[in-house]
Amino acid sequence: MVEKSQNADALERAMWMNTQEAARYLRISPGALRNHVSRGDVPFYKFRRTLRFKRTELDRLIEGSRQGGWR
């Protein structure tokens, strides 16, 4: 249980994430994340053949997608 908590803490602090980490952070599957990337819905960086995602940009994406409720 401690290891899972430490992994979650490390993910929260990570500035750059790979596809697996970003999908886990967004609570979607890696395949769904790749679909969003191909549609241009999610900002990403490509280093060689690897996709990278900036945590702050993923946070902004989530914050900007708010629907309904109190503002």
Side-chain angles (χ1 to χ4, degrees):
M1 186 62 112
V2 173
E3 183 178 321
K4 189 173 186 177
S5 175
Q6 288 173 344
N7 289 340
D9 291 341
L11 189 58
E12 287 292 324
R13 290 190 309 270
M15 179 176 168
W16 291 99
M17 299 180 196
N18 63 28
T19 302
Q20 294 287 340
E21 294 165 336
R24 194 172 326 121
Y25 185 72
L26 295 172
R27 296 178 188 219
I28 61 176
S29 71
L33 179 57
R34 286 187 203 94
N35 287 339
H36 286 294
V37 165
S38 69
R39 288 194 310 254
D41 298 338
V42 176
F44 69 96
Y45 299 81
K46 196 165 188 178
F47 178 70
R48 297 189 180 156
R49 295 174 59 191
T50 305
L51 297 180
R52 296 290 179 197
F53 303 88
K54 221 175 194 181
R55 184 182 53 81
T56 54
E57 292 177 350
L58 296 177
D59 289 340
R60 271 184 266 159
L61 178 70
I62 296 291
E63 292 293 327
S65 66
R66 182 178 173 165
Q67 303 286 315
W70 293 92
R71 294 221 176 225

